[in-house]
PDB file of all heavy atoms in Angstrom:
ATOM      1  N   VAL A 153       2.433 -16.692  13.237  1.00  0.00           N
ATOM      2  CA  VAL A 153       1.678 -17.124  14.405  1.00  0.00           C
ATOM      3  C   VAL A 153       0.606 -18.098  13.905  1.00  0.00           C
ATOM      4  O   VAL A 153       0.048 -17.904  12.831  1.00  0.00           O
ATOM      5  CB  VAL A 153       1.065 -15.930  15.166  1.00  0.00           C
ATOM      6  CG1 VAL A 153       0.116 -15.141  14.311  1.00  0.00           C
ATOM      7  CG2 VAL A 153       0.391 -16.371  16.428  1.00  0.00           C
ATOM      8  N   ALA A 154       0.376 -19.169  14.664  1.00  0.00           N
ATOM      9  CA  ALA A 154      -0.637 -20.145  14.273  1.00  0.00           C
ATOM     10  C   ALA A 154      -1.179 -20.828  15.515  1.00  0.00           C
ATOM     11  O   ALA A 154      -0.518 -20.884  16.556  1.00  0.00           O
ATOM     12  CB  ALA A 154      -0.050 -21.186  13.320  1.00  0.00           C
ATOM     13  N   GLY A 155      -2.376 -21.319  15.401  1.00  0.00           N
ATOM     14  CA  GLY A 155      -3.001 -22.036  16.494  1.00  0.00           C
ATOM     15  C   GLY A 155      -4.356 -22.549  16.065  1.00  0.00           C
ATOM     16  O   GLY A 155      -4.749 -22.380  14.908  1.00  0.00           O
ATOM     17  N   PRO A 156      -5.084 -23.144  16.994  1.00  0.00           N
ATOM     18  CA  PRO A 156      -6.421 -23.621  16.651  1.00  0.00           C
ATOM     19  C   PRO A 156      -7.298 -22.473  16.168  1.00  0.00           C
ATOM     20  O   PRO A 156      -7.410 -21.453  16.835  1.00  0.00           O
ATOM     21  CB  PRO A 156      -6.953 -24.183  17.978  1.00  0.00           C
ATOM     22  CG  PRO A 156      -5.739 -24.433  18.814  1.00  0.00           C
ATOM     23  CD  PRO A 156      -4.718 -23.416  18.384  1.00  0.00           C
ATOM     24  N   GLY A 157      -7.822 -22.602  14.975  1.00  0.00           N
ATOM     25  CA  GLY A 157      -8.719 -21.586  14.440  1.00  0.00           C
ATOM     26  C   GLY A 157      -8.090 -20.608  13.478  1.00  0.00           C
ATOM     27  O   GLY A 157      -8.784 -19.797  12.888  1.00  0.00           O
ATOM     28  N   GLY A 158      -6.760 -20.658  13.299  1.00  0.00           N
ATOM     29  CA  GLY A 158      -6.189 -19.702  12.364  1.00  0.00           C
ATOM     30  C   GLY A 158      -4.683 -19.662  12.317  1.00  0.00           C
ATOM     31  O   GLY A 158      -3.986 -20.408  13.000  1.00  0.00           O
ATOM     32  N   ALA A 159      -4.213 -18.737  11.504  1.00  0.00           N
ATOM     33  CA  ALA A 159      -2.783 -18.488  11.335  1.00  0.00           C
ATOM     34  C   ALA A 159      -2.638 -17.055  10.857  1.00  0.00           C
ATOM     35  O   ALA A 159      -3.608 -16.413  10.448  1.00  0.00           O
ATOM     36  CB  ALA A 159      -2.172 -19.457  10.331  1.00  0.00           C
ATOM     37  N   GLY A 160      -1.437 -16.558  10.900  1.00  0.00           N
ATOM     38  CA  GLY A 160      -1.202 -15.203  10.438  1.00  0.00           C
ATOM     39  C   GLY A 160       0.181 -14.748  10.790  1.00  0.00           C
ATOM     40  O   GLY A 160       1.104 -15.555  10.933  1.00  0.00           O
ATOM     41  N   VAL A 161       0.321 -13.435  10.943  1.00  0.00           N
ATOM     42  CA  VAL A 161       1.599 -12.844  11.308  1.00  0.00           C
ATOM     43  C   VAL A 161       1.389 -11.816  12.408  1.00  0.00           C
ATOM     44  O   VAL A 161       0.361 -11.146  12.469  1.00  0.00           O
ATOM     45  CB  VAL A 161       2.315 -12.194  10.107  1.00  0.00           C
ATOM     46  CG1 VAL A 161       2.685 -13.227   9.065  1.00  0.00           C
ATOM     47  CG2 VAL A 161       1.493 -11.092   9.489  1.00  0.00           C
ATOM     48  N   SER A 162       2.375 -11.729  13.269  1.00  0.00           N
ATOM     49  CA  SER A 162       2.453 -10.655  14.252  1.00  0.00           C
ATOM     50  C   SER A 162       3.581  -9.755  13.789  1.00  0.00           C
ATOM     51  O   SER A 162       4.640 -10.238  13.384  1.00  0.00           O
ATOM     52  CB  SER A 162       2.738 -11.209  15.645  1.00  0.00           C
ATOM     53  OG  SER A 162       1.658 -12.005  16.077  1.00  0.00           O
ATOM     54  N   ALA A 163       3.361  -8.452  13.841  1.00  0.00           N
ATOM     55  CA  ALA A 163       4.332  -7.521  13.271  1.00  0.00           C
ATOM     56  C   ALA A 163       4.517  -6.302  14.168  1.00  0.00           C
ATOM     57  O   ALA A 163       3.584  -5.845  14.813  1.00  0.00           O
ATOM     58  CB  ALA A 163       3.871  -7.077  11.877  1.00  0.00           C
ATOM     59  N   ARG A 164       5.731  -5.828  14.184  1.00  0.00           N
ATOM     60  CA  ARG A 164       6.065  -4.591  14.897  1.00  0.00           C
ATOM     61  C   ARG A 164       6.719  -3.647  13.896  1.00  0.00           C
ATOM     62  O   ARG A 164       7.563  -4.043  13.115  1.00  0.00           O
ATOM     63  CB  ARG A 164       7.008  -4.861  16.053  1.00  0.00           C
ATOM     64  CG  ARG A 164       6.356  -5.695  17.138  1.00  0.00           C
ATOM     65  CD  ARG A 164       7.293  -5.887  18.332  1.00  0.00           C
ATOM     66  NE  ARG A 164       6.769  -6.863  19.243  1.00  0.00           N
ATOM     67  CZ  ARG A 164       5.860  -6.634  20.190  1.00  0.00           C
ATOM     68  NH1 ARG A 164       5.386  -5.426  20.341  1.00  0.00           N
ATOM     69  NH2 ARG A 164       5.435  -7.598  20.970  1.00  0.00           N
ATOM     70  N   TYR A 165       6.320  -2.387  13.987  1.00  0.00           N
ATOM     71  CA  TYR A 165       6.881  -1.395  13.087  1.00  0.00           C
ATOM     72  C   TYR A 165       8.304  -1.091  13.524  1.00  0.00           C
ATOM     73  O   TYR A 165       8.557  -0.788  14.692  1.00  0.00           O
ATOM     74  CB  TYR A 165       6.029  -0.125  13.103  1.00  0.00           C
ATOM     75  CG  TYR A 165       6.440   0.862  12.053  1.00  0.00           C
ATOM     76  CD1 TYR A 165       6.323   0.547  10.708  1.00  0.00           C
ATOM     77  CD2 TYR A 165       6.941   2.100  12.406  1.00  0.00           C
ATOM     78  CE1 TYR A 165       6.698   1.452   9.732  1.00  0.00           C
ATOM     79  CE2 TYR A 165       7.306   3.013  11.430  1.00  0.00           C
ATOM     80  CZ  TYR A 165       7.197   2.683  10.101  1.00  0.00           C
ATOM     81  OH  TYR A 165       7.576   3.579   9.138  1.00  0.00           O
ATOM     82  N   SER A 166       9.239  -1.190  12.585  1.00  0.00           N
ATOM     83  CA  SER A 166      10.642  -1.044  12.962  1.00  0.00           C
ATOM     84  C   SER A 166      11.358   0.125  12.333  1.00  0.00           C
ATOM     85  O   SER A 166      12.389   0.552  12.837  1.00  0.00           O
ATOM     86  CB  SER A 166      11.397  -2.335  12.615  1.00  0.00           C
ATOM     87  OG  SER A 166      11.348  -2.563  11.219  1.00  0.00           O
ATOM     88  N   GLN A 167      10.852   0.639  11.244  1.00  0.00           N
ATOM     89  CA  GLN A 167      11.589   1.718  10.585  1.00  0.00           C
ATOM     90  C   GLN A 167      10.679   2.532   9.703  1.00  0.00           C
ATOM     91  O   GLN A 167       9.718   2.028   9.165  1.00  0.00           O
ATOM     92  CB  GLN A 167      12.739   1.147   9.753  1.00  0.00           C
ATOM     93  CG  GLN A 167      12.259   0.267   8.607  1.00  0.00           C
ATOM     94  CD  GLN A 167      13.393  -0.423   7.892  1.00  0.00           C
ATOM     95  OE1 GLN A 167      14.475  -0.538   8.418  1.00  0.00           O
ATOM     96  NE2 GLN A 167      13.157  -0.865   6.683  1.00  0.00           N
ATOM     97  N   ALA A 168      11.025   3.766   9.556  1.00  0.00           N
ATOM     98  CA  ALA A 168      10.292   4.631   8.639  1.00  0.00           C
ATOM     99  C   ALA A 168      10.871   4.429   7.245  1.00  0.00           C
ATOM    100  O   ALA A 168      12.067   4.463   7.045  1.00  0.00           O
ATOM    101  CB  ALA A 168      10.432   6.093   9.051  1.00  0.00           C
ATOM    102  N   THR A 169      10.002   4.157   6.301  1.00  0.00           N
ATOM    103  CA  THR A 169      10.414   4.052   4.909  1.00  0.00           C
ATOM    104  C   THR A 169       9.656   5.116   4.138  1.00  0.00           C
ATOM    105  O   THR A 169       8.583   5.535   4.550  1.00  0.00           O
ATOM    106  CB  THR A 169      10.091   2.656   4.337  1.00  0.00           C
ATOM    107  OG1 THR A 169       8.686   2.453   4.413  1.00  0.00           O
ATOM    108  CG2 THR A 169      10.813   1.565   5.082  1.00  0.00           C
ATOM    109  N   PRO A 170      10.180   5.566   3.020  1.00  0.00           N
ATOM    110  CA  PRO A 170       9.514   6.632   2.280  1.00  0.00           C
ATOM    111  C   PRO A 170       8.058   6.309   1.961  1.00  0.00           C
ATOM    112  O   PRO A 170       7.216   7.181   1.972  1.00  0.00           O
ATOM    113  CB  PRO A 170      10.344   6.759   1.003  1.00  0.00           C
ATOM    114  CG  PRO A 170      11.695   6.252   1.380  1.00  0.00           C
ATOM    115  CD  PRO A 170      11.451   5.175   2.406  1.00  0.00           C
ATOM    116  N   SER A 171       7.739   5.059   1.697  1.00  0.00           N
ATOM    117  CA  SER A 171       6.373   4.727   1.320  1.00  0.00           C
ATOM    118  C   SER A 171       5.455   4.503   2.499  1.00  0.00           C
ATOM    119  O   SER A 171       4.256   4.393   2.330  1.00  0.00           O
ATOM    120  CB  SER A 171       6.375   3.470   0.443  1.00  0.00           C
ATOM    121  OG  SER A 171       6.875   2.377   1.179  1.00  0.00           O
ATOM    122  N   SER A 172       5.994   4.422   3.711  1.00  0.00           N
ATOM    123  CA  SER A 172       5.116   4.094   4.822  1.00  0.00           C
ATOM    124  C   SER A 172       5.139   5.095   5.966  1.00  0.00           C
ATOM    125  O   SER A 172       4.373   4.970   6.895  1.00  0.00           O
ATOM    126  CB  SER A 172       5.469   2.719   5.374  1.00  0.00           C
ATOM    127  OG  SER A 172       6.763   2.716   5.915  1.00  0.00           O
ATOM    128  N   SER A 173       6.003   6.074   5.929  1.00  0.00           N
ATOM    129  CA  SER A 173       6.027   7.013   7.046  1.00  0.00           C
ATOM    130  C   SER A 173       5.332   8.293   6.669  1.00  0.00           C
ATOM    131  O   SER A 173       5.439   8.792   5.574  1.00  0.00           O
ATOM    132  CB  SER A 173       7.479   7.305   7.455  1.00  0.00           C
ATOM    133  OG  SER A 173       8.154   7.962   6.421  1.00  0.00           O
ATOM    134  N   ARG A 174       4.545   8.779   7.630  1.00  0.00           N
ATOM    135  CA  ARG A 174       3.930  10.090   7.484  1.00  0.00           C
ATOM    136  C   ARG A 174       3.508  10.529   8.873  1.00  0.00           C
ATOM    137  O   ARG A 174       3.196   9.721   9.730  1.00  0.00           O
ATOM    138  CB  ARG A 174       2.762  10.080   6.519  1.00  0.00           C
ATOM    139  CG  ARG A 174       1.632   9.177   6.939  1.00  0.00           C
ATOM    140  CD  ARG A 174       0.538   9.206   5.897  1.00  0.00           C
ATOM    141  NE  ARG A 174      -0.473   8.258   6.302  1.00  0.00           N
ATOM    142  CZ  ARG A 174      -1.674   8.230   5.846  1.00  0.00           C
ATOM    143  NH1 ARG A 174      -2.047   9.086   4.931  1.00  0.00           N
ATOM    144  NH2 ARG A 174      -2.551   7.353   6.255  1.00  0.00           N
TER     145      ARG A 174
END
Side-chain angles (χ1 to χ4, degrees):
V153 60
V161 296
S162 295
R164 294 183 190 277
Y165 188 64
S166 62
Q167 64 187 19
T169 61
S171 63
S172 64
S173 65
R174 61 182 176 163

